[in-house]
Amino acid sequence: MLVPVTISRLLIREMADSQFVTLQEVDGVRSFPIAIGLTEAFAIERRMGGDVPPRPQTHDLLASVIATLGATLQRIEIHELDSGTFHARLVLDHQGDVVLIDSRPSDALALGVAEGTPVMVEEKVIEMASESSNLSTEGDYDPDIQVDQSFDEELDDDEAGFE
């Protein structure tokens, strides 16, 4: 079963290797973080803030290619969690046919934010990810998106629930 989620938090730490995006289930309290790269974090942050770069970025290019080929991005699915690695796919509609494109979650989310695309997560992935996460999974969800740019604060992957 697919569960709709939204981005509830974006943690950008320019001095660290990993940035984190936290996904929160739309009609529930479970949430979990995904480690992403700095480039994708900045792309997500810009689009969440409504900023459109003056020239197309990689995710804009992908959106343009999808549209030019006559397809539409229907949704993003995060469908697997294997050994701490999340797997995602783009679900396209091309002339009535469903086309699945394998993607890193960070790239899919950056594209999805720019396009206003729904993000869905397999129930089993939410269960596994929210159980293994030491970050907020209950009670302190803030519906307002938070962008935390802590440059001096160091949070290593073990503290964030990642191995």
Side-chain angles (χ1 to χ4, degrees):
M1 179 174 89
L2 290 170
V3 177
V5 298
T6 187
I7 296 174
S8 65
R9 185 170 188 227
L10 178 62
L11 177 65
I12 298 176
R13 300 170 298 138
E14 290 182 335
M15 302 307 288
D17 290 336
S18 294
Q19 316 313 309
F20 295 93
V21 61
T22 301
L23 299 180
Q24 165 80 36
E25 69 183 322
V26 171
D27 293 324
V29 296
R30 295 177 297 176
S31 65
F32 61 93
I34 297 178
I36 63 174
L38 187 60
T39 303
E40 293 80 15
F42 281 142
I44 292 168
E45 177 190 31
R46 276 193 304 271
R47 288 310 180 105
M48 287 171 61
D51 296 332
V52 178
R55 296 192 47 190
Q57 302 296 304
T58 304
H59 305 101
D60 303 313
L61 173 64
L62 181 55
S64 178
V65 168
I66 290 169
T68 299
L69 293 175
T72 56
L73 180 59
Q74 297 298 302
R75 68 181 173 274
I76 292 160
E77 294 180 357
I78 299 174
H79 62 93
E80 189 174 337
L81 176 56
D82 181 28
S83 300
T85 301
F86 290 91
H87 297 265
R89 61 183 161 225
L90 307 176
V91 179
L92 306 178
D93 178 334
H94 182 257
Q95 300 175 354
D97 292 326
V98 174
V99 178
L100 303 177
I101 311 259
D102 191 33
S103 176
R104 296 184 311 170
S106 57
D107 291 326
L109 291 170
L111 174 63
V113 168
E115 296 294 301
T117 304
V119 179
M120 309 292 283
V121 179
E122 284 286 350
E123 176 68 32
K124 66 180 181 184
V125 172
I126 290 181
E127 289 173 6
M128 291 170 49
S130 60
E131 286 174 8
S132 66
S133 170
N134 291 332
L135 294 179
S136 73
T137 56
E138 296 181 341
D140 62 349
Y141 168 65
D142 182 351
D144 295 323
I145 294 170
Q146 306 166 20
V147 178
D148 184 354
Q149 292 184 312
S150 304
F151 303 114
D152 297 325
E153 177 186 351
E154 284 300 318
L155 175 67
D156 62 44
D157 288 348
D158 292 335
E159 291 176 291
F162 295 96
E163 299 175 4

